[in-house]
Amino acid sequence: MEDFIIWIPLVLLALAALLPLAVALLRPRAARGRREADIALYRAQLAELDRENEVGRLDEAGHRAATLEVQRRLIAAAEQTEGETRSARGAMAALVLLPLIVASGVGLYLLRGAPGMPSATYAMRAEAQQRDERLLATLRERLAALDPRSEQAWQGYVLLGNAERARGRPDAAIAAWRRALDARFDPGLAGEVAETEIERNAPAAAMPWIERGLREAPNDPRLRFLFGLAELQAGRPEAARTAWQALLADTPADAPWRAMLTQRLSSLP
């Protein structure tokens, strides 16, 4: 009986620990406007690349390389959105199973628990981080040995920038992407730099990349959208309105991102 009484507060403590999870599951989910917009813009870029190739402004090699890069980004964005959809479907099921999770956890702990065993979570996380840093260091060393104007170096710096951005280091990401852009300018990569600058609230730094990209790809919907976003962030909502209205006028009626653009326009002050 005494053992049973001892476990009552432990079970209550476990339920209290899972309470934030229940609150998170019940909270209305945030809109996925950013990822949906990304998917739509990547699809629009693919269509634009096909048009550029058809009229002869883009050779087959350039068209193939650019298409593969946009398709990679499209797949990544679609997978993330699909994962969120699966998560939403499982949220209510997880909420219903919370009491069972607590009971099962207590039972498993009673059978196989080892409270004296030291935790290895931090060590494992530190080891994984060190491994990633070693890989990045190796990539930097190999890039240093390459001709900075070579296609291999260009692709390596793009990869390095993507990795640095994923690790939450925008300065390093931009530095790597700029090395690639110094070797060969690419409007899509310029958009990555501009978007990262906007994310860290630096529209003045983003605008030159957007404008240069638009000089080479004036119909690129992503760059045109980022132009309006930079203007809005810089405190010029009327300029953003003008840019987005022009983009909306060129947007096909069945474009999947038209609704997002309309919503952005309606939210302007």
Side-chain angles (χ1 to χ4, degrees):
M1 183 63 179
E2 291 181 358
D3 291 341
F4 177 76
I5 294 175
I6 290 174
W7 280 104
I8 290 177
L10 293 179
V11 172
L12 293 175
L13 182 62
L15 285 170
L18 288 172
L19 183 60
L21 174 60
V23 173
L25 291 174
L26 290 172
R27 183 185 301 126
R29 298 187 62 81
R32 299 195 308 271
R34 167 69 180 277
R35 278 178 291 278
E36 290 172 349
D38 286 346
I39 290 174
L41 289 174
Y42 292 151
R43 288 173 177 166
Q45 283 182 289
L46 289 174
E48 182 64 24
L49 287 171
D50 289 340
R51 288 193 293 269
E52 293 289 316
N53 180 246
E54 288 174 1
V55 300
R57 287 197 292 264
L58 190 65
D59 59 26
E60 287 297 330
H63 175 262
R64 183 167 56 254
T67 299
L68 287 174
E69 175 61 19
V70 175
Q71 286 174 340
R72 179 189 64 78
R73 298 175 188 173
L74 176 61
I75 291 171
E79 287 177 347
Q80 187 171 5
T81 302
E82 182 181 352
E84 290 188 354
T85 302
R86 289 195 300 267
S87 176
R89 286 199 298 264
M92 289 309 299
L95 183 61
V96 173
L97 291 174
L98 277 179
L100 181 60
I101 293 172
V102 174
S104 300
V106 172
L108 288 172
Y109 184 81
L110 289 173
L111 289 173
R112 300 182 179 275
M117 181 177 293
S119 174
T121 302
Y122 176 78
M124 293 173 64
R125 187 165 60 248
E127 181 182 353
Q129 184 174 359
Q130 291 172 1
R131 183 173 61 251
D132 291 344
E133 291 297 339
R134 287 195 296 269
L135 289 173
L136 288 178
T138 300
L139 177 58
R140 294 188 192 98
E141 290 176 1
R142 292 180 178 177
L143 286 172
L146 293 174
D147 178 358
R149 299 286 174 177
S150 67
E151 182 63 22
Q152 187 177 5
W154 190 90
Q155 294 177 359
Y157 280 117
V158 172
L159 178 62
L160 178 61
N162 293 342
E164 295 286 19
R165 186 184 191 184
R167 294 179 69 80
R169 298 194 289 240
D171 289 339
I174 291 173
W177 288 333
R178 292 187 66 166
R179 292 290 299 272
L181 288 164
D182 287 341
R184 174 168 63 81
F185 185 79
D186 176 79
L189 188 56
E192 293 289 345
V193 175
E195 184 175 352
T196 305
E197 294 285 14
I198 290 173
E199 286 175 352
R200 59 180 187 171
N201 198 30
M207 190 59 78
W209 295 105
I210 297 171
E211 291 174 340
R212 185 177 175 187
L214 286 172
R215 284 196 294 271
E216 294 203 12
N219 297 319
D220 187 299
R222 183 191 184 202
L223 288 171
R224 295 174 69 183
F225 177 79
L226 289 174
F227 181 89
L229 201 58
E231 292 283 19
L232 179 62
Q233 196 175 75
R236 296 185 290 268
E238 286 305 317
R241 189 189 313 277
T242 300
W244 285 345
Q245 284 176 339
L247 175 58
L248 184 63
D250 294 336
T251 299
D254 58 348
W257 45 279
R258 186 182 180 92
M260 179 275 299
L261 184 58
T262 303
Q263 183 180 4
R264 280 280 194 171
L265 274 166
S266 63
S267 66
L268 289 174

